[in-house]
C-alpha cells in the first residue's frame, strides 16, 4: 500500500492512529529528486491533517521510514526522515514519533543481512 490508499475516515473512532509511510512511496521510478520526495512528504502530511480533521480526538503516531539494503534508496529514506524530524514534528503537536528501528541498520546505514 501507499499513502494514497489511506482513508482518513477509517481513523474515526480511534484515539491513537499510526500512520506509516513506507519505502513503496519513495521507491517509485518517478521519485528521484529532493523535490519529488518533498512532494511525497506533502501528501503524507496532508493525509495526517485529513485524519486529524476527520477525528479531532485522534493522536497520530508516525515512524521514520525503515532503511533498506540499497544505498541509493537509503539517501531518499534519509531525506524523507529528515523532513519528518524538521518539518512535521515541530509544527504538528498532535503527532508523536515512534522510534526504535535504529537497531536494524549497519555501519553503512543499510539493513543488515540475515
Amino acid at each position: 500500500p501507499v499513502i494514497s490508499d489511506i482513508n482518513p475516515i477509517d481513523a474515526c473512532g480511534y484515539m491513537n492512529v499510526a500512520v506509516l509511510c513506507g519505502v513503496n512511496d519513495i521507491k517509485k521510478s518517478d521519485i528521484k529528486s529532493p523535490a519529488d520526495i518533498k512532494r511525497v512528504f506533502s501528501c503524507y502530511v496532508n493525509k495526517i491533517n485529513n485524519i486529524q480533521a476527520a477525528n479531532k480526538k485522534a493522536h497520530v503516531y508516525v515512524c521514520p521510514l525503515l532503511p533498506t539494503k540499497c544505498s541509493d534508496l537509503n539517501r531518499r529514506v534519509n531525506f524523507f526522515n529528515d523532513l519528518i524530524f524538521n518539518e512535521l514534528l515541530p509544527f504538528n503537536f498532535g503527532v508523536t514519533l515512534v522510534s526504535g528501528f535504529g537497531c536494524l541498520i549497519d555501519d553503512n546505514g543499510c539493513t543488515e543481512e540475515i
Side-chain angles (χ1 to χ4, degrees):
V2 292
I3 296 168
S4 60
D5 294 339
I6 299 170
N7 182 354
I9 300 301
D10 291 342
C12 289
Y14 295 95
M15 296 281 297
N16 300 305
V17 178
V19 180
L20 303 165
C21 180
V23 172
N24 289 345
D25 287 295
I26 64 165
K27 77 176 185 180
K28 296 177 184 173
S29 61
D30 62 330
I31 307 296
K32 298 195 184 303
S33 70
D36 296 332
I37 298 166
K38 214 159 183 178
R39 184 173 32 87
V40 173
F41 177 75
S42 292
C43 291
Y44 184 61
V45 171
N46 286 338
K47 191 63 72 166
I48 290 168
N49 291 337
N50 290 340
I51 289 168
Q52 291 171 322
N55 182 357
K56 303 277 188 219
K57 294 182 180 181
H59 188 86
V60 177
Y61 292 85
V62 297
C63 291
L65 291 181
L66 294 174
T68 71
K69 293 179 183 178
C70 174
S71 60
D72 178 55
L73 185 53
N74 278 343
R75 282 190 285 280
R76 289 183 259 168
V77 164
N78 291 336
F79 184 77
F80 188 92
N81 288 342
D82 285 343
L83 292 171
I84 290 174
F85 288 109
N86 297 314
E87 295 189 18
L88 174 62
L89 296 174
F91 302 105
N92 190 325
F93 300 112
V95 175
T96 299
L97 179 71
V98 176
S99 58
F101 295 113
C103 63
L104 300 175
I105 58 174
D106 63 16
D107 293 336
N108 297 316
C110 295
T111 52
E112 294 187 45
E113 295 287 334
I114 295 177

